[in-house]
């Protein structure tokens, strides 16, 4: 997955889902993609679409039985040449394949998003890896999960801002680890879906004068979750 891909853009998320379905991502790329996959209905739908397409393509191909020489070559290269029975090797290979597929399905299955999730914003670092995942609930609270906020040092904290008409308004401090629930007041909740959000690095305890004093490390907007009902 190219480093310059922006997973907040639907077209690039769709292409990333294709690479994930094909199994061509590196371990770091999978971790980055799965962080968004765990919370976004849109990304889960993109992945399901890709898997359906690949399955349809696979069903159009006629099965091919490899010749015995292929199985012997596999056995020799994997140190299994001492197993004389080709039938036994095939049976074991099939059994391991089934087990591998079962474990991979369990490992790759995304955790179900919270049922009250209305929108999501993923705070990304300079390498497009997730620092925090911020989910807006249908009632207007913000559920923030720390992934790997490595740009926040000792005696520092991340602070979330809503930028309204060019003026940053603090929504609260972001957790160093685990999850934190932020509860904006009614006036701010009404602007969550239309205003920009930004994250700055501040001294421990937050911005001392009520406005960003440290570097802005990311900015973006909440992306609505398909089918969610906004009540704020």
């Amino acid at each position: 997955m190219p480093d310059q891909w922006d997973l907040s853009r639907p077209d690039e998320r769709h292409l990333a889902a294709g690479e994930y379905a094909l199994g061509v991502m590196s371990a770091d790329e999978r971790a980055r993609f799965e962080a968004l996959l765990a919370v976004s209905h849109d990304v889960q739908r993109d992945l399901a679409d890709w898997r359906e397409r690949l399955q349809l393509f696979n069903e159009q191909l006629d099965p091919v039985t490899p010749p015995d020489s292929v199985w012997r070559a596999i056995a020799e290269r994997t140190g299994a040449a001492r197993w004389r029975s080709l039938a036994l090797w095939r049976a074991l290979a099939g059994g391991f394949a089934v087990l591998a597929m079962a474990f991979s399905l369990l490992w790759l299955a995304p955790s179900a998003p919270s049922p009250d999730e209305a929108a999501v914003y993923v705070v990304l670092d300079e390498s497009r890896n997730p620092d925090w995942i911020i989910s807006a609930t249908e009632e207007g609270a913000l559920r923030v999960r720390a992934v790997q906020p490595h740009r926040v040092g000792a005696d520092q904290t991340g602070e979330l801002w809503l930028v309204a008409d060019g003026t940053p308004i603090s929504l609260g401090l972001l957790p160093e680890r685990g999850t934190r629930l932020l509860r904006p007041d009614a006036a701010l909740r009404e602007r969550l879906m239309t205003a920009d959000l930004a994250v700055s690095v501040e001294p421990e305890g937050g911005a001392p004068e009520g406005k960003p004093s440290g570097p802005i490390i990311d900015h973006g907007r909440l992306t609505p979750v398909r089918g969610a009902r906004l009540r704020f």
Side-chain angles (χ1 to χ4, degrees):
M1 183 167 59
D3 288 340
Q4 67 270 21
W5 279 15
D6 184 353
L7 294 182
S8 66
R9 295 182 54 182
D11 56 338
E12 297 195 11
R13 284 202 308 265
H14 187 73
L15 292 175
E19 288 198 1
Y20 185 85
L22 288 168
V24 297
M25 286 183 172
S26 67
D28 288 344
E29 290 168 344
R30 287 197 306 273
R32 173 180 147 203
F33 182 80
E34 286 169 358
L36 186 58
L37 179 66
V39 299
S40 173
H41 289 285
D42 290 334
V43 175
Q44 292 168 20
R45 187 181 69 254
D46 285 343
L47 181 58
D49 289 344
W50 272 105
R51 285 174 170 167
E52 183 177 359
R53 292 182 190 180
L54 294 173
Q55 180 60 29
L56 290 174
F57 177 75
N58 186 55
E59 290 173 353
Q60 295 173 0
L61 299 176
D62 295 329
V64 176
T65 301
D68 290 348
S69 59
V70 172
W71 291 104
R72 292 193 185 95
I74 293 174
E76 290 171 359
R77 291 180 183 179
T78 57
R82 63 183 180 276
W83 294 357
R84 301 294 183 181
S85 171
L86 186 60
L88 175 62
W89 170 245
R90 282 177 171 170
L92 288 173
F96 284 128
V98 171
L99 286 173
M101 181 173 290
F103 280 119
S104 67
L105 289 174
L106 289 172
W107 178 258
L108 295 177
S111 57
S114 175
D116 65 344
E117 186 176 279
V120 65
Y121 164 45
V122 181
V123 181
L124 301 173
D125 66 14
E126 63 278 357
S127 299
R128 315 305 294 174
N129 295 315
D131 284 333
W132 293 274
I133 298 173
I134 301 174
S135 303
T137 71
E138 294 180 346
E139 303 297 338
L142 295 173
R143 186 180 295 113
V144 185
R145 180 165 66 88
V147 181
Q148 192 176 9
H150 62 88
R151 290 176 291 176
V152 178
D155 301 323
Q156 291 182 323
T157 187
E159 189 159 356
L160 180 65
W161 305 85
L162 182 146
V163 184
D165 300 323
T167 302
I169 302 171
S170 179
L171 292 173
L173 304 183
L174 305 182
E176 178 183 355
R177 62 179 64 86
T179 302
R180 179 174 296 167
L181 196 65
L182 307 179
R183 298 184 182 277
D185 61 31
L188 293 179
R189 288 199 301 271
E190 292 179 356
R191 310 188 75 166
L192 281 177
M193 299 305 301
T194 57
D196 290 331
L197 300 179
V199 175
S200 66
V201 177
E202 302 295 338
E204 188 174 12
E209 297 182 4
K211 57 184 179 181
S213 63
I216 302 296
I217 58 175
D218 195 26
H219 61 88
R221 287 195 174 192
L222 287 163
T223 300
V225 172
R226 186 181 184 186
R229 296 176 299 164
L230 304 180
R231 296 193 289 267
F232 57 90

